[in-house]
Amino acid sequence: MTIRVLLADDQTLVRAAFAMLVESARDMEVVAEAGSGREAVGAAREVRPDLVVMDIRMPDLDGIEATRLIAADKELAGVRVLVLTTYDTDENIVEALRAGASGFLVKDTRPADLLDAIRTVAAGEALLSPGPTARLIERFLRSPSVPVAGGGPECLSDREREVLALVARGLNNTEIAETLGLSPLTAKTHVSRIMGKLGARDRAQLVIVAYESGTVTPGTR
């Protein structure tokens, strides 16, 4: 399947460079471009891309608010947002994830890594730049809490809470399966059920729930 990508960045040259990179991949195509957050929201509603590569600093409406509007639109439930920015501050990471972003990368990411990130997020996985992730985890509990749409971890079984904790530590389904002695399919099923019970959009939101609820705390292993 071809991944349909919407590029949102206020710099024309940057968009052109990203467009050339994305179009160079056989499994991707650029279906629209936007120069502001408001244009990005409108384009997402018009073309229904699989993924939006979203800059944070944009005129009219910034990328975080644009992400929030896209994530809140039920008709765009299948649209993922990968935030790509020059500013890898803790505040931007937290705000982007709370707004509904499924991934976060800085602009000095290697071209091949950006393409891999697009594939990862489009497949429904969560992705964060390795460097900012450590700082995010250490400071997460200091950020204002925003309740999730569904219930809390208390609605999960003991096994599901174990899986949630491993998701929060960055393990993928295969690694979770190996850690708990499960099959990869069973691990994937647990993750899907947890997302349903907690009303989480994707794994990124599961990380938020795990840390805000105290299921996982900074520094635990």
Side-chain angles (χ1 to χ4, degrees), residues 48-64:
R48 307 291 175 85
D50 298 310
L51 181 138
V52 181
V53 176
M54 183 81 75
D55 187 26
I56 287 184
R57 301 291 182 91
M58 290 190 291
D60 189 21
L61 193 72
D62 66 32
I64 292 176

Side-chain angles (χ1 to χ4, degrees), residues 53-94:
V53 176
M54 183 81 75
D55 187 26
I56 287 184
R57 301 291 182 91
M58 290 190 291
D60 189 21
L61 193 72
D62 66 32
I64 292 176
E65 186 58 31
T67 297
R68 185 174 289 110
L69 291 175
I70 290 173
D73 192 330
K74 294 182 179 180
E75 295 186 358
L76 300 179
V79 178
R80 305 293 179 184
V81 177
L82 173 62
V83 171
L84 190 66
T85 181
T86 306
Y87 307 94
D88 63 339
T89 64
D90 300 315
E91 292 76 12
N92 280 336
I93 297 173
V94 171

Side-chain angles (χ1 to χ4, degrees), residues 47 114 200:
V47 303
L114 174 57

Side-chain angles (χ1 to χ4, degrees), residues 161-201:
R161 279 193 287 272
E162 288 180 317
V163 173
L164 175 61
L166 295 176
V167 169
R169 292 173 187 141
L171 275 65
N172 59 34
N173 290 341
T174 300
E175 292 167 335
I176 291 172
E178 292 175 350
T179 300
L180 298 179
L182 307 172
S183 70
L185 179 58
T186 299
K188 181 179 180 180
T189 300
H190 278 309
V191 173
S192 297
R193 287 177 178 171
I194 293 168
M195 289 173 59
K197 288 184 178 181
L198 299 181
R201 181 183 176 92

Side-chain angles (χ1 to χ4, degrees), residues 1-214:
M1 294 181 61
T2 300
I3 302 172
R4 304 172 69 254
V5 180
L6 163 60
L7 298 175
D9 195 295
D10 63 332
Q11 298 183 46
T12 304
L13 289 178
V14 173
R15 289 204 312 274
F18 286 162
M20 290 180 61
L21 175 62
V22 172
E23 291 287 356
S24 71
R26 294 183 178 181
D27 58 342
M28 301 178 196
E29 66 173 329
V30 177
V31 294
E33 296 184 23
S36 72
R38 199 169 301 281
E39 288 181 7
V41 175
R45 289 170 175 164
E46 181 178 352
V47 303
R48 307 291 175 85
D50 298 310
L51 181 138
V52 181
V53 176
M54 183 81 75
D55 187 26
I56 287 184
R57 301 291 182 91
M58 290 190 291
D60 189 21
L61 193 72
D62 66 32
I64 292 176
E65 186 58 31
T67 297
R68 185 174 289 110
L69 291 175
I70 290 173
D73 192 330
K74 294 182 179 180
E75 295 186 358
L76 300 179
V79 178
R80 305 293 179 184
V81 177
L82 173 62
V83 171
L84 190 66
T85 181
T86 306
Y87 307 94
D88 63 339
T89 64
D90 300 315
E91 292 76 12
N92 280 336
I93 297 173
V94 171
E95 288 304 309
L97 292 176
R98 290 189 188 283
S102 297
F104 186 104
L105 287 177
V106 292
K107 283 186 176 178
D108 61 359
T109 298
R110 295 184 306 170
D113 290 340
L114 174 57
L115 295 179
D116 285 342
I118 290 174
R119 295 185 182 100
T120 297
V121 174
E125 299 290 336
L127 183 143
L128 298 170
S129 288
T133 300
R135 296 199 305 275
L136 172 66
I137 297 306
E138 291 302 320
R139 295 182 57 185
F140 218 111
L141 297 181
R142 303 179 190 177
S143 304
S145 178
V146 177
V148 293
E154 65 275 2
C155 71
L156 304 178
S157 67
D158 291 341
R159 174 62 82 187
E160 288 169 340
R161 279 193 287 272
E162 288 180 317
V163 173
L164 175 61
L166 295 176
V167 169
R169 292 173 187 141
L171 275 65
N172 59 34
N173 290 341
T174 300
E175 292 167 335
I176 291 172
E178 292 175 350
T179 300
L180 298 179
L182 307 172
S183 70
L185 179 58
T186 299
K188 181 179 180 180
T189 300
H190 278 309
V191 173
S192 297
R193 287 177 178 171
I194 293 168
M195 289 173 59
K197 288 184 178 181
L198 299 181
R201 181 183 176 92
D202 54 30
R203 296 171 82 103
Q205 290 196 341
L206 290 184
V207 174
I208 293 175
V209 173
Y211 278 92
E212 289 184 336
S213 66

